[in-house]
Amino acid sequence: MKLLRYGPSGQEKPGLLDEDGIVRDLSQLIPDLSGDALAPDSLKKIAAIDPQSLPAVPGTAQGDLRLGPCVGATGKFICIGLNYADHAEESGLDVPPEPVIFNKWTSAIVGPDDDVQIPRGSVKTDWEVELGVIIGTGGSYIEEPDALNHVAGFCVVNDVSEREFQIERAGTWDKGKGCDTFGPTGPWLVTPDEVGDYDNLKMWCEVDGHRYQDGSTATMVYKVPHLISYCSRFMSLQPGDIISTGTPPGVGMGQTPPVYLKGGEVMRLGIDKLGVQTQKVRPA
């Protein structure tokens, strides 16, 4: 099942993408794709409904119909660093002995095809295609064997990063990770039953038609169940929280010489079964 949020920024409504690519309105069933609507019982009720019985929304998703972030009211946008061995290598860093946790501020979250803004003073804005995990059932100290029962779905995330802010300026990584528009999310939340083998999904990112990233979730160091369990040791996870699980090699920082976004480019990225994002890059 592919669930989404459509409409103008800040006024999104919940929807479902049917097998014909038509968006079906869910707003009579749930107020938003957030909170309790992400719980297992809620998702089961939605899955049991014949999509043809739901109102069709005019327009084409990611065409003349804007899609918003695929989950609403996100409380925490948690990210995992250096979680692909080959990306750690291109960054000149060792694979960490434990997952590296940092944050993107929720004000970074935008729709999958919204513009990405280069912050004022930026000289090293970069791209990162990542597998996002959306929490449906909250909890603390989640046991790894039970971790997937806490997942509402998966999505594509572009972990846009400003490397000078992140690495060369005083402070934590968060400074270069949470700038406005640095978290395109979606196009849809895909439920685990439809994703299947989330450990073997192809993922890629292109800038102006040149493919820089061409990887797979198969090379992830710390897998999804471990990440959920690990994060829940340090914070309670809540419905709508997003865990962005790391990126494969091919980021701009890893090119020889490095390549960074200047403004005017188009990023296009995707993950098998989870959809494609397209963002124009512009100065803030």
Side-chain angles (χ1 to χ4, degrees):
M1 186 165 58
K2 294 182 175 72
L3 302 175
L4 53 86
R5 299 170 71 246
Y6 69 90
S9 179
Q11 304 176 42
E12 291 92 348
K13 295 181 179 181
L16 176 153
L17 191 75
D18 71 16
E19 292 183 353
D20 298 317
I22 297 171
V23 174
R24 300 284 176 170
D25 181 55
L26 288 173
S27 59
Q28 297 302 310
L29 301 173
I30 55 174
D32 197 359
L33 196 58
S34 62
D36 292 342
L38 299 169
D41 287 348
S42 173
L43 295 179
K44 286 179 183 177
K45 289 178 182 178
I46 295 171
I49 296 171
D50 179 3
Q52 302 297 318
S53 69
L54 298 169
V57 178
T60 301
Q62 297 188 279
D64 56 348
L65 178 63
R66 175 189 176 269
L67 298 186
C70 62
V71 63
T74 294
K76 294 189 290 298
F77 196 166
I78 306 157
C79 298
I80 308 299
L82 302 173
N83 197 29
Y84 287 70
D86 34 13
H87 171 56
E89 182 180 357
E90 75 171 349
S91 302
L93 299 169
D94 295 331
V95 174
E98 297 184 37
V100 172
I101 300 176
F102 62 91
N103 298 289
K104 295 178 88 75
W105 317 125
T106 55
S107 53
I109 298 173
V110 292
D113 306 310
D114 290 345
D115 290 353
V116 165
Q117 302 176 21
I118 296 181
R120 295 177 185 178
S122 167
V123 292
K124 296 183 178 180
T125 297
D126 203 348
W127 55 84
E128 295 189 16
V129 60
E130 303 202 1
L131 174 70
V133 179
I134 298 168
I135 299 299
T137 301
S140 300
Y141 303 104
I142 296 167
E143 296 293 336
E144 195 166 325
D146 186 47
L148 292 180
N149 292 326
H150 291 257
V151 175
F154 299 92
C155 69
V156 182
V157 171
N158 189 354
D159 176 18
V160 185
S161 308
E162 211 300 339
R163 302 301 188 186
E164 187 199 29
F165 296 180
Q166 175 191 356
I167 299 168
E168 301 173 37
R169 306 274 286 270
T172 65
W173 282 13
D174 302 338
K175 186 185 294 183
K177 291 287 191 172
C179 302
D180 288 357
T181 75
F182 270 27
T185 305
W188 16 80
L189 177 161
V190 186
T191 51
D193 59 296
E194 187 163 330
V195 175
D197 186 7
Y198 59 87
D199 272 337
N200 192 25
L201 299 174
K202 292 182 180 178
M203 52 200 310
W204 52 272
C205 179
E206 298 174 348
V207 179
D208 288 343
H210 179 83
R211 183 159 294 196
Y212 285 96
Q213 293 189 275
D214 201 353
S216 169
T217 58
T219 63
M220 193 182 293
V221 177
Y222 298 106
K223 305 297 186 179
V224 170
H226 181 75
L227 294 175
I228 294 170
S229 177
Y230 184 83
C231 289
S232 76
R233 300 179 200 174
F234 305 102
M235 68 199 85
S236 62
L237 297 179
Q238 298 158 349
D241 286 351
I242 301 169
I243 302 176
S244 197
T245 57
T247 196
V251 299
M253 180 175 64
Q255 306 303 307
T256 307
V259 177
Y260 295 113
L261 300 167
K262 303 297 184 185
E265 300 93 344
V266 174
M267 292 184 284
R268 190 168 183 269
L269 56 148
I271 301 177
D272 280 0
K273 301 183 181 181
L274 302 183
V276 174
Q277 301 182 351
T278 304
Q279 297 114 23
K280 295 179 181 178
V281 182
R282 63 177 179 85

